C-alpha cells in the first residue's frame, strides 16, 4: 500500500508524473478514437467512464459544460480550423 500512496503523491505533486498518468489513461481507454473525430461528447464520456460507449446525453457527463467551454477556447487560441489536415 505504501507504493500506491507514494505513486499517488507523485502524480498529485509532480507535473511529469501527472502528465504521464494522463497519457497512460488516454491511451489505455483509446480516447483518441473520439478526439480524432472532434467528438467532445465521446471524449468526455470516456474520461468519466472508460467503459462508456459514446453517449449523447451531456447531462450525465460530469463537468461537461466546463470541459466544452475550455475545448472551444483552446480551439480558438490554437486557430484549430487552420491547423487541420
Amino acid at each position: 500500500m505504501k507504493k500506491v500512496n507514494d505513486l499517488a503523491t507523485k502524480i498529485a505533486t509532480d507535473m511529469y508524473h501527472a502528465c504521464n498518468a494522463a497519457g497512460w489513461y488516454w491511451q489505455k481507454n483509446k480516447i483518441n478514437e473520439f478526439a480524432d473525430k472532434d467528438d467532445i461528447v465521446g471524449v468526455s464520456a470516456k474520461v468519466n467512464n472508460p467503459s462508456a460507449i459514446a453517449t449523447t446525453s451531456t447531462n450525465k457527463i460530469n463537468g461537461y459544460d466546463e470541459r466544452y467551454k475550455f475545448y472551444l477556447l483552446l480551439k480558438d487560441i490554437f486557430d484549430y480550423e487552420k491547423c487541420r489536415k
Side-chain angles (χ1 to χ4, degrees):
M1 194 58 161
K2 180 173 176 4
K3 283 185 179 183
V4 171
N5 287 335
D6 289 345
L7 182 58
T9 299
K10 284 181 182 178
I11 291 170
T13 60
D14 184 307
M15 186 63 75
Y16 171 82
H17 291 292
C19 290
N20 196 31
W24 172 85
Y25 185 87
W26 186 276
Q27 182 178 17
K28 179 183 184 316
N29 292 293
K30 299 179 171 122
I31 296 173
N32 251 38
E33 293 175 17
F34 298 96
D36 287 346
K37 296 181 223 169
D38 229 12
D39 179 0
I40 185 72
V41 174
V43 168
S44 297
K46 294 293 272 185
V47 166
N48 281 270
N49 180 1
S51 64
I53 297 173
T55 183
T56 58
S57 177
T58 60
N59 64 347
K60 294 182 179 180
I61 299 173
N62 185 33
Y64 176 81
D65 292 336
E66 187 173 28
R67 186 176 295 122
Y68 186 70
K69 178 179 78 173
F70 286 110
Y71 162 78
L72 292 177
L73 179 63
L74 287 170
K75 282 181 78 169
D76 187 45
I77 289 169
F78 289 113
D79 203 7
Y80 178 77
E81 295 305 323
K82 290 183 182 175
C83 293
R84 296 204 63 182
K85 293 180 182 178

